[in-house]
Amino acid sequence: MNAAEHNELTSLIRALPPLEEALSEGDVDHLMLLPTGRWTARQQGVARRRTSVLDEPALLALATWVDDHPGARLDGTWLFDVIPGVRGLLVTAERCPTPIDDIASPVLMDALKKQITRGENGVILGPVRAPKLELLCWIAQQFIQEQIILISDRPPTAQLGPRVVHLYPPRTPEELARTRRLLRRCDAVLWDEVENSEMLRVALGHPGAKRRWFTMDAATTRAGFEALGRRLEEMAPGDLSSIMLADSRSGKLSHLLRRVGGSWQEVTEEANSMLPALEAHLETRFAVRNRYEEYRSTVEVQEIRFESDDPPHEDEPEDIDIK
């Protein structure tokens, strides 16, 4: 589509205000518009009929235009199509997956792929508009044989294959307990928008768990580091080995940091290093330690204590004959 055609499509959509509003909703990924003006929107994986009725002449104009322009896209995000029916043209709009080149630079994505193949755990910090869920879907495709659980409010638009199971975030203590048990048996866990420390503990799973990646919303890098530090205070930072940052203005992923030993390093050479801000808001809040080693040492101590608590064997007293 050229600029003129894109402007024509935009004008046709603006003539249908309810449709324009639905296209801007982040959790809507599919729309179906009937010739009668009735329409449905798939939101969070569930198709729901909207109560409003679209203007039939304006809808007919949109359907006719889309029929004349196959493969029409709105802002590169929505793909429009028409299906001929008995009563006229049925219009569909499907949200397109974000191209990987629009998420981060090839150099950064190559560095991230190396982090993933090492089985490390990581967090993705960035503003709401950053393609964090899209990046989680890309990470899922890098795992070869693992069974993966993806937890998010928005169902993924990309086709991820049978090894990826999508779940909605737990809302009740019972759901949280079931999710915790399930994740302990899973090879890889991807969690979009971890909201609090309790969810973070569930996402990271058992001590020594690998291939755990989650995202957190942060308006700025500073705010993201502060929130991450607060949520990790109750746990060992050894659970986290990678941090990926999205630019607060563009939303594009811009930095990748990795824990090496007891310190953090920039994986890619960036002019504006994030290490000073990270050290100021994350490392100074708690000491570096390894949660898995602590778990093992605790088990060993318990075994030693069990042995020491076992009372020593004493010979039974001899029978005394009483005459």
Side-chain angles (χ1 to χ4, degrees):
M1 288 178 58
N2 55 39
E5 292 173 335
H6 187 272
N7 291 336
E8 291 175 3
L9 177 59
T10 302
S11 299
L12 292 169
I13 293 174
R14 287 177 179 172
L16 299 164
L19 173 60
E20 184 179 18
E21 181 180 354
L23 293 172
S24 64
E25 297 177 14
D27 54 355
V28 173
D29 57 14
H30 189 273
L31 298 168
M32 184 170 61
L33 318 177
L34 302 177
T36 58
R38 299 289 182 182
W39 59 301
T40 60
R42 189 171 66 191
Q43 194 168 13
Q44 296 185 354
V46 180
R48 296 183 176 90
R49 176 177 292 181
R50 296 296 175 101
T51 57
S52 59
V53 179
L54 300 176
D55 181 70
E56 290 190 38
L59 181 57
L60 177 60
L62 173 64
T64 303
W65 188 93
V66 172
D67 190 34
D68 294 336
H69 298 80
R73 293 174 181 259
L74 177 66
D75 299 328
T77 304
W78 288 95
L79 174 64
F80 283 83
D81 196 8
V82 292
I83 302 174
V86 177
R87 298 184 178 181
L89 295 174
L90 172 70
V91 180
T92 63
E94 183 175 4
R95 188 184 293 274
C96 305
T98 303
I100 196 65
D101 293 340
D102 293 343
I103 296 178
S105 66
V107 174
L108 199 60
M109 297 304 287
D110 288 341
L112 176 61
K113 188 171 184 178
K114 293 179 181 179
Q115 299 287 90
I116 297 169
T117 55
R118 293 190 183 102
E120 297 184 354
N121 302 332
V123 59
I124 305 162
L125 302 174
V128 175
R129 66 178 178 278
K132 298 188 289 297
L133 176 58
E134 288 77 4
L135 182 59
L136 290 182
C137 294
W138 181 84
I139 291 175
Q141 294 171 342
Q142 308 312 306
F143 297 130
I144 300 176
Q145 297 179 345
E146 292 82 357
Q147 182 67 38
I148 306 165
I149 291 182
L150 172 61
I151 300 177
S152 66
D153 278 321
R154 289 190 294 123
T157 56
Q159 299 297 323
L160 301 178
R163 293 183 298 107
V164 181
V165 178
H166 174 260
L167 301 176
Y168 290 106
R171 300 300 183 190
T172 65
E174 292 76 15
E175 292 179 356
L176 186 62
R178 288 196 296 267
T179 302
R180 188 193 304 272
R181 291 193 296 269
L182 179 62
L183 298 193
R184 284 177 176 270
R185 299 177 176 87
C186 191
D187 300 323
V189 176
L190 308 173
W191 195 317
D192 188 34
E193 297 182 15
V194 172
E195 299 177 350
N196 51 55
S197 299
E198 178 64 22
M199 297 293 186
L200 184 56
R201 284 191 291 270
V202 175
L204 290 175
H206 58 84
K210 299 297 183 182
R211 300 178 182 86
R212 265 60 178 166
W213 285 80
F214 58 95
T215 73
M216 289 172 49
D217 290 336
T220 64
T221 300
R222 185 188 193 94
F225 285 158
E226 291 177 349
L228 182 61
R230 288 193 300 271
R231 293 178 188 180
L232 287 176
E233 270 188 331
E234 301 176 3
M235 354 179 30
D239 291 323
L240 185 65
S241 51
S242 300
I243 298 178
M244 197 161 196
L245 306 174
D247 186 82
S248 57
R249 295 183 179 180
S250 65
K252 193 170 183 178
L253 297 164
S254 56
H255 292 78
L256 177 60
L257 301 98
R258 181 193 179 204
R259 179 188 290 278
V260 180
S263 62
W264 288 91
Q265 297 179 359
E266 288 264 15
V267 176
T268 55
E269 295 293 334
E270 302 292 343
N272 54 335
S273 176
M274 294 289 105
L275 287 177
L278 175 64
E279 294 170 355
H281 298 287
L282 186 59
E283 293 295 347
T284 57
R285 300 180 69 92
F286 40 74
V288 176
R289 52 193 196 278
N290 187 295
R291 186 167 169 238
Y292 179 70
E293 292 300 328
E294 286 188 349
Y295 171 76
R296 290 298 310 156
S297 63
T298 303
V299 173
E300 292 170 0
V301 169
Q302 289 175 348
E303 291 173 351
I304 294 172
R305 287 178 179 174
F306 176 77
E307 293 174 356
S308 62
D309 291 340
D310 189 15
H313 177 72
E314 297 180 358
D315 294 334
E316 296 181 357
E318 296 181 358
D319 294 337
I320 301 176
D321 295 333
I322 301 176
K323 294 181 180 181

